[in-house]
């Protein structure tokens, strides 16, 4: 899905602040990448067009991105923390305490210790002593297209929605909306009528809505078993603990850092409960980089997909279609993102 097209759209009429609404057509974004170093061109931009509006002519600038000079992806080091990132990981881990592990496990998660012989060769599993952990879960219907969510890391209401995304094991195209971000905050106001977050768009149904609790209920009814997990059904207490969960990373993932917007969304394999994933997400938000999250909490079948794809399972795992880079290791991913996209 393209990113450039979202930046020049005809202004839509403001919608009333209803908790749920249907759009006549699902939102879509188109992108055109350039092989040249820098080019300026006019192109037809039908993105977000309505039946009553004509297509508009817009001017976009395309830039080719490349990895930093002499860049080499690091070797994955399982459960290792780079010494200079120790306190970052410790601070990010506080969320697990305040949220009682919400967002770590997929819905219906169960685990059992089995002998190594019971796990076929080439199948992902966690090793524990001389045994292996067999993990299962119960997932609901899968959305054909990724759900689109406009949000930012330092928002407790947004965190609640990210947690249900992990529980339901659904993929999401995140449009980061840090404070003072020039691209996607204004678009939320154009699409929904106000700058309030999170804001969700389901391109599979045309449904778009504000309000974290309403988004959670919608997602569990559409892509789960219809029941909201206990830690996401506590009302004000849930919001307070989601706020406390950010104490260790106060201020991170909130404000915009000037950046160059890439033509294609990045892809990140991660899940909300991981402190290693959190420090990468903070930078993705600060740089306002759209990214598709391949959610893979414990019990997710996508763990096997990444295991087969990369020959190893570890998160976060970044795939950047703009440069061809694929890499593990959170600290090095943060450095790569800043070196490639920060201005």
């Amino acid at each position: 899905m393209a990113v450039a097209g979202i930046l020049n759209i005809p202004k839509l009429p403001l919608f009333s602040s209803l908790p749920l609404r249907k759009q006549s057509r699902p939102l879509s974004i188109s992108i055109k990448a350039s092989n040249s170093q820098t080019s300026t061109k006019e192109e037809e931009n039908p993105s977000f067009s309505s039946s009553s509006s004509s297509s508009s002519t817009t001017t976009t600038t395309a830039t080719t991105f490349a990895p930093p000079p002499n860049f080499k992806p690091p070797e994955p080091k399982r459960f290792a923390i780079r010494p200079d990132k120790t306190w970052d990981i410790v601070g990010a881990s506080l969320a697990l305490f305040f949220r009682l592990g919400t967002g770590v496990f997929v819905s219906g998660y169960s685990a059992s210790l089995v002998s190594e012989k019971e796990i076929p060769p080439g199948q992902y599993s966690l090793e524990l002593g001389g045994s292996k952990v067999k993990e299962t879960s119960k997932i609901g219907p899968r959305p054909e297209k990724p759900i689109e969510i406009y949000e930012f890391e330092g928002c407790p209401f947004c965190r609640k929605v990210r947690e249900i995304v992990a529980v339901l094991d659904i993929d999401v195209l995140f449009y980061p909306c840090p404070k003072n971000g020039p691209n996607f905050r204004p678009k939320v106001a154009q699409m929904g009528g106000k700058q309030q977050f999170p804001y969700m768009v389901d391109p599979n149904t045309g449904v778009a809505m504000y309000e974290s609790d309403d988004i959670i209920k919608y997602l569990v009814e559409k892509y789960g078993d219809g029941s909201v997990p206990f830690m996401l059904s506590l009302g004000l207490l849930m919001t307070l603990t989601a706020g406390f969960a950010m104490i260790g990373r106060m201020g991170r993932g909130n404000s915009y850092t000037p950046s160059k917007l890439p033509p294609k969304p990045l892809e990140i394999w991660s899940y909300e409960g991981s402190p290693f994933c959190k420090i990468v997400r903070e930078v993705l938000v600060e740089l306002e980089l759209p990214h598709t999250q391949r959610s893979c909490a414990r019990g997710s079948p996508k763990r096997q997909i990444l295991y087969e794809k990369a020959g190893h399972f570890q998160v976060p795992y970044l795939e950047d279609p703009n440069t061809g880079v694929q890499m593990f290791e959170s600290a090095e991913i943060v450095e790569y993102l800043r070196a490639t996209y920060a201005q």
Side-chain angles (χ1 to χ4, degrees):
M1 180 171 291
V3 173
I6 195 174
L7 302 181
N8 295 277
I9 61 176
K11 187 172 183 180
L12 299 179
L14 300 182
F15 295 93
S16 59
S17 56
L18 296 175
L20 175 66
R21 62 183 174 86
K22 281 262 187 178
Q23 294 182 341
S24 58
R25 293 177 59 183
L27 299 179
S28 63
I29 306 169
S30 63
I31 220 170
K32 290 189 178 181
S34 171
N35 292 325
S36 60
Q37 184 62 32
T38 303
S39 62
T40 302
K41 61 181 178 180
E42 290 191 346
E43 60 184 7
E44 287 294 306
N45 180 13
S47 304
F48 295 96
S49 60
S50 64
S51 57
S52 62
S53 64
S54 59
S55 61
S56 60
T57 301
T58 62
T59 301
T60 61
T61 300
T63 301
T64 299
F65 290 87
N70 303 317
F71 173 81
K72 182 179 180 181
E75 291 295 324
K77 304 176 186 66
R78 199 170 189 181
F79 301 123
I81 302 175
R82 209 171 74 179
D84 62 319
K85 295 296 181 181
T86 299
W87 289 111
D88 288 333
I89 299 301
V90 170
S93 298
L94 289 178
L96 296 173
F97 169 77
F98 287 110
R99 297 296 297 148
L100 300 181
T102 308
V104 173
F105 305 103
V106 174
S107 179
Y109 176 82
S110 65
S112 59
L113 282 176
V114 299
S115 67
E116 294 184 358
K117 295 180 180 180
E118 293 189 41
I119 304 296
Q123 181 173 321
Y124 164 76
S125 65
L126 181 66
E127 296 184 13
L128 190 61
S131 303
K132 291 194 173 184
V133 180
K134 185 177 181 180
E135 300 172 287
T136 60
S137 60
K138 298 178 182 179
I139 58 176
R142 304 292 81 193
E144 182 179 346
K145 301 175 183 177
I147 307 300
E148 299 170 12
I149 298 179
Y150 295 74
E151 54 87 57
F152 62 100
E153 185 69 23
C155 166
F157 303 98
C158 299
R159 180 184 175 89
K160 295 186 321 188
V161 172
R162 295 195 303 268
E163 287 178 347
I164 197 61
V165 164
V167 171
L168 297 177
D169 196 43
I170 55 179
D171 293 342
V172 169
L173 175 53
F174 284 109
Y175 288 106
C177 300
K179 295 177 182 178
N180 301 317
N183 296 307
F184 304 119
R185 273 189 172 243
K187 300 312 167 189
V188 170
Q190 290 184 13
M191 290 186 291
K194 54 185 175 180
Q195 287 193 19
Q196 178 179 308
F197 305 97
Y199 180 71
M200 184 210 74
V201 176
D202 186 346
N204 304 282
T205 62
V207 168
M209 61 172 62
Y210 294 101
E211 299 298 337
S212 57
D213 289 345
D214 292 335
I215 293 172
I216 290 170
K217 291 177 183 177
Y218 170 82
L219 291 176
V220 298
E221 290 173 0
K222 189 69 178 177
Y223 302 111
D225 60 6
S227 61
V228 177
F230 174 73
M231 281 300 292
L232 289 170
S233 62
L234 300 178
L236 178 60
L237 179 60
M238 169 178 59
T239 302
L240 289 174
T241 57
F244 292 150
M246 299 183 297
I247 289 176
R249 303 295 293 161
M250 191 62 71
R252 304 295 179 89
N254 279 348
S255 300
Y256 175 66
T257 297
S259 64
K260 299 167 286 187
L261 190 66
K264 297 178 182 178
L266 284 66
E267 294 196 11
I268 185 79
W269 297 70
S270 69
Y271 62 100
E272 182 62 22
S274 166
F276 296 94
C277 297
K278 182 172 180 59
I279 66 172
V280 171
R281 270 264 315 162
E282 289 170 350
V283 176
L284 286 168
V285 170
E286 290 169 356
L287 295 175
E288 206 183 24
L289 298 175
H291 54 281
T292 300
Q293 176 182 280
R294 306 299 181 190
S295 188
C296 48
R298 298 224 66 92
S300 170
K302 289 196 284 290
R303 291 191 167 221
Q304 178 65 28
I305 297 174
L306 180 56
Y307 182 81
E308 295 175 357
K309 181 186 186 71
H312 177 78
F313 178 82
Q314 181 177 308
V315 291
Y317 179 70
L318 176 71
E319 296 181 281
D320 188 344
N322 304 288
T323 63
V325 164
Q326 300 176 344
M327 62 186 298
F328 293 101
E329 294 300 322
S330 57
E332 283 79 3
I333 291 174
V334 166
E335 292 173 347
Y336 164 81
L337 293 173
R338 288 176 173 157
T340 305
Y341 294 106
Q343 286 186 339

